[in-house]
Structure formats: C-alpha cells, structure tokens
Amino acid sequence: MALCPRTIFIMGNKMKKPLVVLATSVFWLAVWWILSGWIGQEILLPSPWVVFLTVCRLCRTAAFWQAVGVSLWRVLSGFVAAVVAGALLAVATCRFRLLHTVCSPLLHVVRAAPVASFIILAYFWIRLDVLPAFIAFLMVLPMVWANVAEGIRQTDRRLLEMAKVYRLGFWRTVRHVWVPSVRPYFLTACTTGLGFAWKSGIAAEVICSPARAIGSSLGDAKAYLQMPEVFAWTVTVVLLSVLLERGLVWLVYRHKQEVTP
Amino acid sequence: MSIQFHCVSFSYDKTPVLQEISWRLPDTGVVCLWGPSGCGKTTLLRLLAGLEKPTAGAVEGLDAKRVSVVFQEDRLLPWLTALENVMLPGTGEKEAKEMLTRLGLEDVCGVCPSSLSGGQQRRVALARALAAPCDLLLLDEPFNGLDEGTWQDILPLISQKARACPVVLVTHVRAQAEGLQAQVVSLSNVPISGFLSFETDKK
C-alpha cells in the first residue's frame, strides 16, 4: 500500500509523541534528582528514588488501598451527583426564566469563591465523611450547569422548527435534536469537572481529615514532617487524577472514530 | 377542507408584512409565490407551516394536516445519515430509499450530511419532504444550488405530489413555475394587503 507524504508525516508524529513525553519526563526527573542531591536534606526535598520506594512501601499496605478506594468513592459520588443535578438545573433554568434569575447569582458566587472557604464553612455543617463528596459536588455543579445551559441556548432553532413542522413530538425532538446538540457541551463539562472534583475533594480531605482518606494521609504526613510520604501521596493523587481523566475520556469517546488531524 | 387565509395580518417587530390578506389555496396543484426578495413570500409559507401565528385574522383548514417543507436552508440533522434524515418524519425505510434513488443519491444513503456536497445535501432535504406523507407541501426556493438538469429531473416528482395535495412554491426562476404548470401569485408591495389572486384570474 502506497502512503502519501501527509500520512507518513502523521505516522511520524504519532511515533514521536511518546518519545517526546518520555524524554521530557526523564529530563524533569533528572532535575529533581540533581536538586535533591544538591540540597541534601530529605526533610526538604527527597530524591525521586526515595519517593518511589515510599510509594512501593505504601502500596503493600491495606490502609493505602483503603484510603484510595474511600477517596475515589467520595469524589466520584459527589461528581456523579453534580453532573445529574447540574444537567437538570440547566434544563430548568433555561425553561423557567425566573428560576434562572434566582439561581444565577448563587451559582456565580460558588464559581468565584475559593474552594477553601467552602471547605471551612462546610466543616461546621456537614459530617466529615460526606464533606469531600459535598465539596466535589459544589465545584462541579456550576460547571455542568453553565455548559449544559450554553448547549441548550446554542441549539439550532432552525432544526427545532424543522422538528416542529414534521411533528416529531417531544421525545423524538429531545432524542434527535436536543441531546446531540447539547452532548459536546455536557461532555466537556464532565471531562474538565472530574479533575476539579478530584483536586477539591482531596483538598477537603487534607483540611478536614476524615478517617481513611488520601487527603488525611497527606495531612498526617505533613504534620509528622514525613516528606517522602507527602511526595508519595502527592504522586498517588496525580496518577489517579490522570487515570480518572483518561478513563472518562476513553469511556466517553470510545465509539467515536479517530479524526485525522 | 381547503386552506384559507381570512383577513390575516402579520408584523415582524411592529413592521407590517401582511395586512388583512384573504386567500384560498386550491385543493391540488402547484401555486407559485412570485415577487422580489423581502416581499413576504417566506412569511406566507411560515404561516402555512404553523411556525408563525397571525397577529390578526386566521389561517383555516390547517388542523390535522401533515405539512412537508423544504426550507431555504437544508436543515438536515448533521448526526444522522442521509437515509435517517429522510426517514425522520416517519417515512418508511423502503420509501426513503426509493426517493433517494430517484434523486440520484442511492450511493450516499449511509453518509452524514457533512460529507455530502451542497447539491447532494439539497437533494436529501428535497427527498425528506417529497417522501414524507403530507397534505400540504411547501417549497421555499427548493432548487437553490442545483443545476438546471437536476431540477428539471425533480419537477415531475413535485407534479406527482401536486396531484394529491396543494404545493406552494417560492422561486425566482420563472421556468420552474412554468415546468410545474403552477398558478402564479405575483407579490410586489410591502405590506401585502387585500385579496391574493392568481395571474390567470386577472387576465
């Protein structure tokens, strides 16, 4: 099979990308290694090797997996609740102008206020084991609401007129016009929202220290000046964040054909 | 029951477009609305499609009538294939395929509109309207973007439809109205007012 120059160029790019990622990762690991060697104090900056060993040690304990499982459950339950509530709220506020007027300032305040303020406030109102889920919910809700509402507003009126003329009825119009029009906005909100949910949920755990949680373990490590453990838990958070986002993107776009650049 | 306009008035943002129009559509055959851009032809079609309500008067005889429309734009669903778009109004798969074949689109049944040429998209929009079971067919400049050979081939399909129900055509090409042996309503002044009559009646 003959390949056109453009195909070869694209294939070349695809092969190069992992190499570039690997090379930059190695470069920054080397910088970290050199810096930790130069400082020479584990309490300030442990070396990558020490952190790696600490991660391996943590992985062999049941408490580690328990913390990972509980944190994931909390954040994901808050995220799912926010996605459902945000989508419903968007539909309701687009349908009822008064509801939009009432809810809009509240949602803008939630978006603008620092997450730490809500964590501290919620600390006094909500049970500790529910709090991270609530914070994740609070961070994702306005994002899903704003995106889905925008998707609804951007739906092509001309297609809706066509659906009306051909008497598609309510459910077929929802299925064939509304849902495909809003879907890209909704999926963007979900993929960005998950990262926010994860980070804010972990931040809530650090501040409020619920039992068995990644954030609590991170906070404890900080309190006892266990810097290798602080780094190890941070690495865990970053890895899980990447895995969650990649997992969701795969789940959402797995049926889509790859688009040629 | 025939479709009739009874003293229909319509305004866009307080600008009157139609003033106390009275008009009766024939039960079958093609009616061509003829006139310069912006004279209210599309507004008349939108009232017939039920997309606008008269500011005064009434359009009678539309109740329970199934309307098919070819809009000025194609208005195809980009996420559905050509065949699915034609089947959307409730047309059966066999009829939809047949109509696409008659319009020379048999090879692109499974293709989404974004991968079709402008002319092919137009023909899919025409196929959707012509294949759908209807009691009134509205065509707003339906041959936009099609060459003469293509629209000449489509005229018999519209004539066939016009034997069973009224067809209202908006066009700027006289030959299209003549090819369909349409009764022509000439519109010129904005706002349009009074009784609308066919050119043949005036002679």
Side-chain angles (χ1 to χ4, degrees):
Chain A
M1 187 182 73
L3 295 175
C4 70
R6 183 173 161 73
T7 316
I8 294 166
F9 173 73
I10 291 165
M11 283 175 66
N13 268 353
K14 276 185 182 169
M15 285 161 72
K16 268 182 198 166
K17 207 183 166 193
L19 283 177
V20 172
V21 172
L22 188 71
T24 39
S25 306
V26 168
F27 169 74
W28 285 112
L29 271 176
V31 170
W32 177 5
W33 209 306
I34 291 163
L35 264 177
S36 66
W38 180 60
I39 293 168
Q41 290 188 52
E42 206 172 76
I43 200 167
L44 290 178
L45 186 65
S47 74
W49 179 246
V50 173
V51 172
F52 174 72
L53 289 178
T54 314
V55 172
C56 291
R57 181 173 53 79
L58 286 174
C59 282
R60 284 197 293 269
T61 62
F64 173 82
W65 294 107
Q66 211 172 21
V68 167
V70 170
S71 290
L72 276 174
W73 164 248
R74 283 186 185 130
V75 169
L76 287 179
S77 53
F79 170 75
V80 171
V83 166
V84 174
L88 292 176
L89 191 63
V91 172
T93 52
C94 285
R95 178 74 184 81
F96 304 106
R97 193 83 203 144
L98 180 67
L99 192 65
H100 178 267
T101 315
V102 172
C103 291
S104 196
L106 198 66
L107 289 163
H108 280 102
V109 166
V110 174
R111 288 179 90 177
V115 62
S117 308
F118 285 112
I119 297 170
I120 293 162
L121 281 173
Y123 183 77
F124 296 101
W125 302 334
I126 294 173
R127 259 176 37 211
L128 281 186
D129 55 338
V130 182
L131 194 138
F134 174 73
I135 293 298
F137 172 85
L138 211 58
M139 290 300 108
V140 178
L141 179 82
M143 208 180 281
V144 175
W145 166 72
N147 267 38
V148 172
E150 185 61 17
I152 291 172
R153 276 193 292 272
Q154 293 298 328
T155 299
D156 194 339
R157 304 289 128 176
R158 293 173 303 178
L159 293 182
L160 292 170
E161 280 187 354
M162 182 277 294
K164 187 181 174 190
V165 164
Y166 284 112
R167 299 186 181 184
L168 295 200
F170 176 73
W171 289 112
R172 290 187 72 215
T173 306
V174 167
R175 185 181 151 207
H176 289 298
V177 184
W178 287 110
V179 169
S181 301
V182 176
R183 187 187 286 136
Y185 294 87
F186 173 74
L187 295 182
T188 308
C190 288
T191 43
T192 14
L194 187 58
F196 271 81
W198 181 240
K199 277 166 238 168
S200 54
I202 297 296
E205 288 179 348
V206 171
I207 295 176
C208 303
S209 275
R212 293 185 302 279
I214 292 179
S216 311
S217 308
L218 186 61
D220 290 347
K222 181 211 78 177
Y224 295 110
L225 298 175
Q226 296 286 330
M227 285 309 265
E229 279 201 19
V230 170
F231 272 76
W233 283 110
T234 308
V235 166
T236 309
V237 170
V238 171
L239 283 177
L240 283 171
S241 175
V242 171
L243 278 177
L244 279 176
E245 283 191 44
R246 290 280 164 90
L248 186 68
V249 168
W250 175 81
L251 206 69
V252 162
Y253 297 105
R254 71 189 190 282
H255 295 306
K256 301 227 166 187
Q257 283 182 334
E258 200 177 319
V259 180
T260 312
Chain B
M1 185 187 174
S2 298
I3 298 163
Q4 295 182 58
F5 283 62
H6 276 298
C7 294
V8 170
S9 298
F10 186 80
S11 306
Y12 277 118
D13 298 329
K14 293 182 183 169
T15 309
V17 182
L18 309 176
Q19 270 186 346
E20 299 192 355
I21 294 278
S22 290
W23 187 33
R24 183 189 172 130
L25 260 77
D27 292 337
T28 56
V30 181
V31 172
C32 173
L33 300 179
W34 181 265
S37 299
C39 75
K41 303 185 294 291
T42 299
T43 305
L44 281 170
L45 286 197
R46 289 179 66 80
L47 284 162
L48 284 168
L51 294 173
E52 305 287 0
K53 294 267 172 277
T55 38
V59 183
E60 289 178 354
L62 281 176
D63 296 337
K65 278 205 166 55
R66 296 163 300 176
V67 183
S68 271
V69 184
V70 175
F71 296 92
Q72 273 185 23
E73 319 83 17
D74 301 320
R75 304 200 187 189
L76 300 173
L77 295 180
W79 34 83
L80 296 187
T81 63
L83 180 64
E84 287 166 343
N85 266 291
V86 177
M87 288 168 63
L88 193 69
T91 309
E93 188 175 344
K94 187 168 160 268
E95 290 81 7
K97 273 187 178 160
E98 240 170 59
M99 187 54 73
L100 284 166
T101 306
R102 291 179 80 174
L103 294 177
L105 297 166
E106 64 272 26
D107 296 334
V108 295
C109 284
V111 178
C112 286
S114 59
S115 303
L116 299 175
S117 71
Q120 285 175 322
Q121 289 183 29
R122 197 65 188 147
R123 277 182 282 159
V124 174
L126 272 157
R128 180 177 62 193
L130 291 171
C134 70
D135 307 305
L136 172 65
L137 176 61
L138 306 173
L139 306 169
D140 198 352
E141 301 183 32
F143 305 120
N144 273 350
L146 299 183
D147 59 65
E148 187 173 348
T150 309
W151 61 252
Q152 287 281 9
D153 289 343
I154 298 170
L155 292 185
L157 295 174
I158 297 172
S159 294
Q160 193 185 337
K161 202 86 180 169
R163 279 184 220 126
C165 71
V167 176
V168 183
L169 167 76
V170 168
T171 181
H172 294 288
V173 181
R174 201 78 188 188
Q176 289 169 359
E178 286 165 3
L180 290 166
Q181 294 170 318
Q183 301 185 74
V184 178
V185 178
S186 278
L187 308 166
S188 50
N189 305 321
V190 180
I192 306 164
S193 58
F195 283 93
L196 297 187
S197 54
F198 300 110
E199 282 183 355
T200 45
D201 300 339
K202 291 177 192 167
K203 284 176 187 169

